[in-house]
Amino acid sequence: IPEVAIENSNALLFESENEMELVNDISDLINNLDKRQLFAQSSKKIYSEYFSIQTNVANLIEYYDIV
């Protein structure tokens, strides 16, 4: 999922089973309005690039043109 989960842009990535790292990341996000807003803006941008109806239709047309 590297195209849509970008660390410190729209995702919190942490080592598996490292609960303290997750707790610290979530606490930082809760206490940092600017970071939350950045995550929201970045997520919206990625959504429009990869998952909008226009993007999906264009991808389907391209796929069927190849087939």
Side-chain angles (χ1 to χ4, degrees):
I1 314 176
E3 307 84 43
V4 294
I6 303 165
E7 186 169 17
N8 291 320
S9 179
N10 72 335
L12 298 172
L13 304 180
F14 58 95
E15 293 294 322
S16 177
E17 299 186 31
N18 187 341
E19 297 89 4
M20 286 312 299
E21 186 177 3
L22 177 59
V23 167
N24 290 336
D25 285 347
I26 291 173
S27 293
D28 180 46
L29 196 57
I30 289 169
N31 294 315
N32 189 333
L33 175 62
D34 291 338
K35 190 171 189 176
R36 288 195 313 271
Q37 290 174 333
L38 170 68
F39 273 40
Q41 291 168 351
S42 297
S43 296
K44 186 174 182 179
K45 181 180 177 200
I46 289 170
Y47 168 80
S48 4
E49 289 175 10
Y50 289 94
F51 303 108
S52 72
I53 192 76
Q54 294 85 357
T55 301
N56 282 310
V57 168
N59 288 339
L60 281 172
I61 290 170
E62 182 179 329
Y63 173 77
Y64 283 114
D65 284 344
I66 292 170
V67 175

